[in-house]
Amino acid sequence: MKFDTIIIGGGLSGLTAGIELSRKGQKCLIVSSGQSALHFFSGSFELCALDDDPLKAIRSLDKEHPYSKIGLDNVRSLSAGVKPFFKEVGVLLNGDQERNHLRLTPLGAQKRAWLTLDEYVTLPSDGQMPWKKVAVFNVDGFMDFHTSYIAAALEAKGVQTVVKGISMPELEKLRHNPTEMRSTNIAKTLTGDKINTLAARINEYASDVDAVFLPAVVGLNGCSDVVRLKEKVDRPLHFIATLPPSVPGIRLQMMLKKHFQKLGGTYMLGDSVTGGVLENGRLRCISTQNHADTEFEADNFIIATGSFFSKGLVSDIDGVSEPVLGLDVISLEERPQWYRKNMFEAQPYMYFGLSTDASFHPVKDGTAVENLYAVGSVLGACNPLKEGSGAGIAILSALHVSSLILNESPVILNDSSVILNESPVILSDSPVILNDSPVILNDSSVILNEVKDL
């Protein structure tokens, strides 16, 4: 089977690349083994949390950092387009790349963020609270959301806080088994007519507060329940992230997948790439576990398999490796060098990842694979945990690599190939400027390089 681009990995970076390429007319395939890090989504995307000004912080990063390879100007322009990109998917975000805001964690801490789902609590970068009194609600028996920590953090900032529990017969059924009282199961229950009941319970105790906070346990299958609940509650309603699994994260992955498929993309869920065939410095095809007898060919490939968490990188007694294609990895040889005994220090293993050239081509045996690109947390030379840059690297590297692929994609006119390289060409008295793109004219193939006229 032949595609324009095949993407190995169906998480945030893989889906972002797939959508961007598909909306520009490419025939794309995503091979996804299953659950991605989006199931642990905090509700916010971080660009770089080392400073209130994320672009200022990015300027100080090492030259091998993914942001440095993208280039600051490209980071600025690409990040400005992320909100419209997700709006097209149906996801509304607050924030911008010029200045970080603050989000509330499930334990009440304030963390810098770039973009946050519009139904979530956000604060200005100075941490000033816009409320005098709030009500924090939780579902009785739900242990992945700690109201006492959140209330203490708000009270420390001078916000009077009321904590209330919510009980409904439908939710009580989940308590018969402690493992069933999880965010996803609650979200499956709190839908349809149950939204009206939930809103009524909240309104009983929220008449004299400035805002209502609720754990993010609504809207697993779409945003409609979130919107309706906000409309039914009498006071401004904001959500706070829970401990995993993340209801908004699962919803986001489903919405991205659905949009990718709507654009014509093929999404193979529950399958794993088992290897590929390299010929003359290019990846010709891949094979998968579920389709062992089928070769999946493409003009370009993207590896977006993630880091250790999603097994995009694996470690053993001999070292760290990339298990799908055997690509070269940035790491340290001596195992004791991988970590610091103080767990709160920046851990060296977090910088491990694929070695790539300036155009994000991964390296195998010291040579870049020219039609293969790497995006997201499988990339090395960065520490997303310390920098607060994981989502930004995932999204922007995917968009940047997509632009590199699209600049190399063919523009088809009639039936023959002419390669024009940065050359003005006159066809039928009309000037056409083509930049690094294969173009098909009439019935003959000609290769032109730096041609002044035709």
Side-chain angles (χ1 to χ4, degrees), residues 90 92 118-119 195-196 199 218-219 222-233 237 239 251:
L92 300 180
D118 73 334
E119 70 261 31
I195 294 296
N196 297 334
V218 176
C223 298
S224 59
D225 286 333
V226 172
V227 172
R228 191 146 59 91
L229 181 61
K230 289 172 70 70
E231 291 174 348
K232 294 288 184 179
V233 172
L237 171 65
F239 290 92
R251 180 179 76 218

Side-chain angles (χ1 to χ4, degrees), residues 67-233:
Y67 282 150
S68 300
K69 291 181 178 180
I70 294 172
L72 185 61
D73 289 341
N74 286 332
V75 167
R76 186 188 300 274
S77 61
L78 290 172
S79 59
V82 171
K83 284 172 69 175
F85 176 93
F86 279 92
K87 185 176 181 180
E88 183 180 305
V89 176
V91 178
L92 300 180
L93 299 166
N94 292 324
D96 62 68
Q97 75 275 24
E98 300 299 331
R99 191 166 189 82
N100 285 317
H101 59 264
L102 297 177
R103 65 178 178 89
L104 282 181
T105 73
L107 298 181
Q110 298 178 13
K111 297 289 186 181
R112 290 180 177 132
W114 162 38
L115 299 173
T116 297
L117 295 176
D118 73 334
E119 70 261 31
Y120 267 58
V121 175
T122 58
L123 300 168
S125 59
D126 60 8
Q128 292 297 311
M129 297 287 176
W131 318 280
K132 293 183 178 179
K133 183 178 181 181
V134 301
V136 181
F137 287 85
N138 192 19
V139 174
D140 286 344
F142 179 50
M143 303 183 69
D144 291 334
F145 185 74
H146 300 282
T147 53
S148 58
Y149 288 110
I150 294 168
L154 293 171
E155 293 276 2
K157 292 288 186 177
V159 179
Q160 185 181 350
T161 306
V162 178
V163 175
K164 294 291 182 181
I166 297 174
S167 179
M168 295 167 54
E170 297 82 3
L171 295 173
E172 285 296 318
K173 295 178 182 178
L174 300 178
R175 299 184 65 184
H176 294 167
N177 184 342
T179 63
E180 292 300 312
M181 188 59 83
R182 305 304 301 273
S183 59
T184 49
N185 291 323
I186 295 172
K188 291 175 184 177
T189 302
L190 294 177
T191 187
D193 293 340
K194 308 300 185 300
I195 294 296
N196 297 334
T197 305
L198 176 61
R201 293 280 194 278
I202 293 172
N203 287 334
E204 289 177 14
Y205 302 102
S207 60
D208 63 340
V209 299
D210 300 319
V212 170
F213 295 165
L214 194 70
V217 292
V218 176
L220 182 63
N221 296 313
C223 298
S224 59
D225 286 333
V226 172
V227 172
R228 191 146 59 91
L229 181 61
K230 289 172 70 70
E231 291 174 348
K232 294 288 184 179
V233 172

Side-chain angles (χ1 to χ4, degrees), residues 306-308 310-315 320-323 329 352-354 377-378:
S307 188
F308 296 100
S310 53
K311 299 182 180 179
L313 299 174
V314 295
S315 64
V320 178
S321 61
E322 186 281 309
V329 173
F352 296 178
L354 293 185
S377 56
V378 75

Side-chain angles (χ1 to χ4, degrees), residues 4-26:
D4 294 318
T5 300
I6 292 176
I7 300 163
I8 307 169
L12 179 59
S13 56
L15 282 163
T16 298
I19 289 171
E20 182 67 9
L21 292 168
S22 296
R23 66 198 289 265
K24 299 295 177 63
Q26 284 221 340

Side-chain angles (χ1 to χ4, degrees), residues 275-338:
V277 178
L278 283 166
E279 294 178 350
N280 300 318
R282 295 174 63 87
L283 182 60
R284 181 177 64 80
C285 67
I286 60 167
S287 56
T288 73
Q289 183 175 352
N290 295 347
H291 300 82
D293 297 329
T294 302
E295 289 187 342
F296 294 94
E297 300 183 7
D299 297 321
N300 293 287
F301 296 81
I302 297 175
I303 184 165
T305 48
S307 188
F308 296 100
F309 173 78
S310 53
K311 299 182 180 179
L313 299 174
V314 295
S315 64
D316 56 30
I317 195 65
D318 296 319
V320 178
S321 61
E322 186 281 309
V324 177
L325 300 170
L327 302 170
D328 294 358
V329 173
I330 299 171
S331 66
L332 296 171
E333 291 186 6
E334 299 297 327
R335 200 176 183 88
Q337 297 177 314
W338 294 5

Side-chain angles (χ1 to χ4, degrees), residues 316-382:
D316 56 30
I317 195 65
D318 296 319
V320 178
S321 61
E322 186 281 309
V324 177
L325 300 170
L327 302 170
D328 294 358
V329 173
I330 299 171
S331 66
L332 296 171
E333 291 186 6
E334 299 297 327
R335 200 176 183 88
Q337 297 177 314
W338 294 5
Y339 61 91
R340 299 284 182 264
K341 291 184 178 180
N342 183 346
M343 64 178 294
F344 296 104
E345 291 186 38
Q347 299 297 326
Y349 72 84
M350 292 297 296
Y351 292 91
F352 296 178
L354 293 185
S355 174
T356 67
D357 65 10
S359 297
F360 291 92
H361 297 298
V363 174
K364 183 175 174 61
D365 300 328
T367 302
V369 183
E370 61 184 68
N371 69 330
L372 175 63
Y373 298 85
V375 299
S377 56
V378 75
L379 294 168
C382 57

